[in-house]
Each structure stands twice: as structure tokens, then as C-alpha cells.
């Protein structure tokens, strides 16, 4: 693959995937825990993802290869862990891509209804969005992520514009927090339940790792892009909560499909409404664009290493992209988007990501134990080890419980899916894996081996 990316591309990949969570999805946490519960979820899950960003920055700047966390698990623990982590990545990004396409279709239907065209079918827009972005990814990563940088920056500035439009220096003139904010409607158990959809504020920032093989300097670009990305998202998430809870009752906000676009509509400024329509559209497109990029690279890496059929491990002779993996994942994303079940699709994505973070904390502890700081060169060293890894593991456990409270059946069925997939791998694919060929890093023998 071509090494053409810089820290701005890495930032655009991570933030581009995630920023759509500020435009939709996070607000389901309001339905679980009320406005204050959603704010607590925003900051607690922000801590979880800060740990993810720090751990990812160290390991990926050291294991700089396509596949991100999948490649890390392959080098640090072994094939079965790597297969599972790779599958978590593919499903998390593919489900997120489906949710993004759903938002594009629903937004087009909402705008059509507002202009007098009721009953617009959103499905053609779903297919068109996924097909166009798959073509863009097929043609090359530099163009893909350059487009992502531009539209992600616009979407972020749209949130800033909406914040300015609410006249924040004069509380009560536009924002009615004193009237709308209530106590915790379901108590602290509601706050715990809200943690599930609080994940949507940040889900996907770990996607910066998928570009590790195509950046010019992994030791510089990955930490700068990833940590800069999580800081951007913390600001955007807090502003999003502040704007939305000051304009809409929590009962409505908790079930809105496009809360920031609705917020702009409530203000009654036509120009601002147009900006938020474009911002929501761009955020969804940027997210789906990055998801296709990341899911395809994880699937390609698994094919290249024989975890999946080697047919998927092909690179386009001209564009140098994993074109077969890109094409293969299109119908999967479209089929889930066609269900129209946004909360269920989001839950599948969240749980897949959460499983990956759980194993990430284990990988980090083992990585430091096998290769201490003075043994191999690292592009970035995250501070306070092992506190971030242990914090991440503890917070993941709490979010599993939060998900069980509202989506217990979904949690169990998704776990069953991954268990069956693991059994299939051990029985049908493990025999093709060549462990020695996969370990490509020029490191000394691990400590204790």
C-alpha cells in the first residue's frame, strides 16, 4: 500500500467516522437517563475513549500495519484472539456504516416532508450513499481521506455555528435549561443504562489505527491524529449536549432521529437550518466513508493472513486498494440499513466495538509485559500504565451491564454470533494460518519466552 497520509488525514479518519454520533444516536441516552444522565454518560464514556486513544496511539505507532487492533492481537496474543478482534472491527464499522446510510435516507425524507413531498422512500438514498462511497474508497485512500477531512471539518464547524446561534452569552434568551432540565427521571439505574448510547459520541475513534500502513510516519501521525481527534470529540460532544438539552424536552430529545437538525429548526433561523442539514449529511457521509475504509482494511488483512479466504487479500493493481474486501462488504451494510431499526443497528455496532476494547486492555497489559519500554522502540508511550488499561476494562464491564438493562436479548444474540464464529474459525480456518509468517515485526524474543 502507498504511504501517503499525514496527521490531518488520520484526524479526518477518526473524527470523520465518529462525528455523526454528535448529530444522531447519542440522544437515545437521554431516553434512558434523562438530560443529566446523558451528560454523565458523555463524560464517563469520554474517559473510556481517552484510554482507548492513549493505548491505541502507543501500540499502533509500534505495530504499524493494516488491520489496526487485529494486527496488534495477532502479534501480541495469537490467532484466535486476532480473528475475534478482526471480526469485531469489521462488524462494528459495517453496522456504523449502515446506521450512517439510514440517517442520510431519513434526513432526505424529513426534508422532503418539510417541503411538501410526503412519503419519500429513503432506501434509494441508502443504496446510493453506500455505493458512491464504496467507489470512492475503491479509487484510492488519499482521495478518500482528503474528502473526509474537508467534509468533517465543515460538520464540526456546523456544531460551532449552531452553538453561536443559540446566543450562549445570554442564558435564557434562546436556551431554556432552567425550564427543560429535570432531575434524573429513572434514578441512577437510568444513568447506568444511558452509558450504552453514550458510546455513540465517540465510537470509531480507534479507526485511526486502520491507516497505520499508509501513513508517512506512524510514530508521529497516529498519536497526533488520534489524541487530537478525541479532544475534538470531547468538545463537540459537550457542545451538542448543551445545545440540544436547552432547546428540546428530554422526552422528545430521547427519540429524535436528527437532534441537531431539529435544534436548528426550533431556533427558526433558515440559514442555520441549511447549515445543519448539510452538516448532518456531511457527518453521516464522512462516517460511512471512514467505516468502509476501516472495515475493508480489517477484512483484507484477515484474508491476507488466511483467517478468511485468501481471495480477499488482494490489492488493486492500479489503485492499490483492498478492492475485493470493499465490494464484498457493500451488500452486508445495505441489508442492515434496509431493516430501518436504527437503535438495533447501533447496538450491534456498540457491542462489537466494546468487545474489541475489552481485549484491547488485555493486549496492552501483555504487550508491556512481553516487550518492556527499554526493549523495543515506540513512536509514543502513554503515561500511567497500567491505569488506562485497567480503567478501560472496568468501564467496559459497566457498559455491558448497561446494555443488558435495555437490550438483553440483543446482547446475548450478538455474543452467541461471535461464539459460533470462533468455533467456525477453529474448525475450518485455523489449519491455514501460518503463525511464523505473520509475525513481521523485527523485535527481540518476548520476555519470558
Amino acid at each position: 500500500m502507498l504511504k501517503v497520509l499525514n496527521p490531518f488525514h488520520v484526524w479526518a479518519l477518526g473524527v470523520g467516522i465518529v462525528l455523526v454520533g454528535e448529530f444522531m444516536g447519542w440522544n437515545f441516552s437521554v431516553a434512558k437517563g434523562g438530560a443529566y444522565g446523558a451528560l454523565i454518560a458523555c463524560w464517563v464514556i469520554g474517559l473510556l475513549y481517552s484510554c482507548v486513544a492513549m493505548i491505541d496511539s502507543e501500540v499502533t505507532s509500534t505495530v504499524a500495519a493494516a488491520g489496526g487492533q487485529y494486527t496488534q492481537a495477532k502479534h501480541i496474543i495469537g490467532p484466535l484472539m486476532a480473528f475475534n478482534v478482526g471480526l469485531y472491527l469489521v462488524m462494528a464499522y459495517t453496522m456504523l456504516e449502515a446506521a450512517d446510510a439510514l440517517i442520510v435516507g431519513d434526513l432526505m425524507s424529513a426534508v422532503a416532508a418539510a417541503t411538501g413531498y410526503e412519503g419519500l422512500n429513503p432506501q434509494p438514498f441508502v443504496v446510493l450513499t453506500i455505493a458512491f462511497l464504496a467507489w470512492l474508497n475503491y479509487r484510492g485512500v488519499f482521495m478518500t481521506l482528503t474528502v473526509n477531512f474537508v467534509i468533517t471539518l465543515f460538520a464540526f464547524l456546523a456544531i460551532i455555528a449552531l452553538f453561536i446561534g443559540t446566543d450562549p452569552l445570554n442564558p435564557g434568551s434562546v436556551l431554556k435549561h432552567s425550564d427543560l432540565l429535570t432531575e434524573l427521571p429513572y434514578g441512577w439505574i437510568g444513568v447506568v443504562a444511558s452509558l450504552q448510547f453514550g458510546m455513540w459520541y465517540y465510537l470509531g475513534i480507534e479507526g485511526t489505527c486502520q491507516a497505520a500502513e499508509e501513513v508517512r510516519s506512524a510514530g508521529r501521525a497516529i498519536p497526533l491524529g488520534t489524541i487530537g481527534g478525541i479532544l475534538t470529540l470531547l468538545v463537540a460532544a459537550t457542545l451538542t449536549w448543551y445545545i440540544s438539552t436547552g432547546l428540546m424536552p428530554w422526552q422528545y430529545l430521547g427519540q429524535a432521529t436528527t437532534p441537531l437538525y431539529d435544534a436548528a429548526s426550533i431556533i427558526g433561523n433558515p440559514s442555520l437550518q441549511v447549515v445543519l442539514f448539510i452538516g448532518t449529511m456531511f457527518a453521516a457521509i464522512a462516517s460511512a466513508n471512514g467505516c468502509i475504509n476501516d472495515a475493508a482494511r480489517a477484512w483484507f488483512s484477515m484474508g491476507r493472513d488466511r483467517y478468511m479466504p485468501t481471495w480477499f487479500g488482494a490489492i488493486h493493481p492500479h489503485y492499490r486498494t483492498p478492492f475485493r474486501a470493499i465490494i464484498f462488504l457493500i451488500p452486508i451494510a445495505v441489508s442492515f440499513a434496509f431493516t430501518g431499526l436504527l437503535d438495533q443497528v447501533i447496538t450491534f455496532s456498540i457491542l462489537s466495538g466494546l468487545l474489541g476494547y475489552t481485549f484491547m486492555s488485555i493486549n496492552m497489559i501483555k504487550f508491556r509485559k512481553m516487550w518492556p519500554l527499554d526493549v523495543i522502540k515506540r513512536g509514543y508511550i502513554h503515561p500511567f500504565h497500567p491505569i488506562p488499561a485497567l480503567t478501560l476494562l472496568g468501564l467496559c464491564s459497566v457498559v455491558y451491564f448497561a446494555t443488558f438493562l435495555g437490550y438483553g436479548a440483543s446482547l446475548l444474540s450478538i455474543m452467541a454470533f461471535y461464539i459460533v464464529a470462533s468455533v467456525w474459525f477453529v474448525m475450518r480456518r485455523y489449519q491455514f494460518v501460518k503463525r511464523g509468517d505473520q509475525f513481521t515485526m523485527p523485535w527481540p524474543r518476548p520476555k519470558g519466552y
Side-chain angles (χ1 to χ4, degrees):
M1 293 187 182
L2 301 177
K3 294 184 178 293
V4 294
L5 306 180
N6 60 40
F8 293 105
H9 291 107
V10 175
W11 176 90
L13 177 59
V15 177
I17 289 175
V18 185
L19 196 63
V20 70
E22 270 67 9
F23 288 84
M24 65 87 178
W26 70 270
N27 53 301
F28 294 151
S29 64
V30 177
K32 298 290 184 181
Y36 283 123
L39 179 62
I40 295 169
C42 170
W43 288 342
V44 170
I45 301 301
L47 175 61
L48 183 155
Y49 275 93
S50 295
C51 295
V52 168
M54 288 193 294
I55 291 171
D56 264 347
S57 294
E58 175 171 333
V59 183
T60 307
S61 63
T62 310
V63 188
Q69 293 83 0
Y70 154 76
T71 304
Q72 297 164 20
K74 181 180 69 176
H75 281 77
I76 297 168
I77 295 186
L80 183 58
M81 171 75 85
F83 169 78
N84 277 282
V85 170
L87 194 58
Y88 302 153
L89 288 168
V90 172
M91 297 311 295
Y93 292 129
T94 303
M95 295 305 103
L96 178 49
E97 176 192 342
D100 296 331
L102 258 171
I103 287 300
V104 172
D106 288 344
L107 187 61
M108 294 302 295
S109 295
V111 171
T115 54
Y117 296 94
E118 296 283 350
L120 181 68
N121 185 356
Q123 291 186 346
F125 296 99
V126 169
V127 175
L128 184 62
T129 299
I130 293 175
F132 170 73
L133 294 176
W135 172 81
L136 195 63
N137 277 269
Y138 186 98
R139 292 294 299 267
V141 67
F142 183 81
M143 179 173 64
T144 297
L145 295 189
T146 299
V147 169
N148 247 39
F149 176 76
V150 174
I151 63 179
T152 298
L153 184 60
F154 182 93
F156 179 71
L157 292 176
I159 297 176
I160 301 297
L162 181 59
F163 176 67
I164 294 171
T166 60
D167 196 11
L169 298 179
N170 295 300
S173 61
V174 177
L175 299 174
K176 308 293 183 181
H177 288 104
S178 59
D179 298 327
L180 295 174
L181 290 183
T182 62
E183 299 296 326
L184 302 175
Y186 304 116
W188 284 99
I189 194 67
V191 174
V192 173
S194 70
L195 294 176
Q196 174 193 352
F197 289 107
M199 297 276 290
W200 207 244
Y201 276 120
Y202 314 99
L203 181 68
I205 185 63
E206 71 279 2
T208 54
C209 299
Q210 301 301 317
E213 201 167 300
E214 294 158 286
V215 296
R216 297 191 188 106
S217 172
R220 175 174 174 270
I222 297 295
L224 282 175
T226 304
I227 295 174
I230 192 64
L231 292 174
T232 302
L233 293 168
L234 285 166
V235 172
T238 304
L239 289 179
T240 296
W241 177 90
Y242 183 76
I243 295 166
S244 301
T245 55
L247 291 171
M248 290 172 273
W250 72 271
Q251 296 92 333
Y252 173 81
L253 180 59
Q255 51 84 42
T257 302
T258 52
L260 284 185
Y261 176 71
D262 291 353
S265 302
I266 290 169
I267 292 173
N269 184 328
S271 299
L272 201 54
Q273 193 171 347
V274 170
V275 168
L276 265 296
F277 166 74
I278 298 172
T280 304
M281 188 70 70
F282 277 5
I285 290 172
S287 179
N289 197 23
C291 286
I292 293 171
N293 178 88
D294 287 355
R297 275 150 184 76
W299 196 256
F300 153 80
S301 297
M302 294 171 76
R304 183 173 61 179
D305 295 333
R306 301 183 180 88
Y307 288 68
M308 289 294 175
T310 55
W311 186 82
F312 293 113
I315 294 290
H316 195 282
H318 178 66
Y319 299 121
R320 312 304 298 168
T321 55
F323 66 108
R324 289 176 180 168
I326 291 170
I327 295 171
F328 174 76
L329 294 173
I330 291 174
I332 298 174
V334 170
S335 61
F336 276 93
F338 272 15
T339 65
L341 303 172
L342 183 60
D343 60 335
Q344 294 289 346
V345 173
I346 289 176
T347 298
F348 198 159
S349 182
I350 286 171
L351 284 173
S352 298
L354 197 62
L355 286 163
Y357 308 147
T358 303
F359 287 108
M360 184 189 298
S361 58
I362 298 169
N363 285 347
M364 184 67 239
I365 292 170
K366 188 164 178 124
F367 179 55
R368 282 284 187 99
K369 184 178 179 181
M370 293 170 68
W371 291 283
L373 293 180
D374 57 345
V375 172
I376 59 175
K377 182 180 179 181
R378 289 163 163 82
Y380 168 81
I381 299 173
H382 83 271
F384 310 120
H385 178 77
I387 292 175
L390 295 176
T391 301
L392 177 59
L393 189 60
L395 289 175
C396 285
S397 300
V398 175
V399 179
Y400 284 123
F401 177 66
T403 305
F404 181 77
L405 290 176
Y407 293 84
S410 297
L411 174 63
L412 295 176
S413 61
I414 291 167
M415 291 294 191
F417 165 77
Y418 284 120
I419 291 170
V420 171
S422 296
V423 172
W424 172 84
F425 172 74
V426 171
M427 297 182 66
R428 301 300 299 270
R429 295 302 307 177
Y430 194 92
Q431 60 184 313
F432 300 107
V433 174
K434 297 182 179 180
R435 174 73 169 151
D437 293 347
Q438 294 172 35
F439 198 91
T440 56
M441 305 306 297
W443 296 343
R445 191 175 185 83
K447 185 178 180 179
Y449 286 78

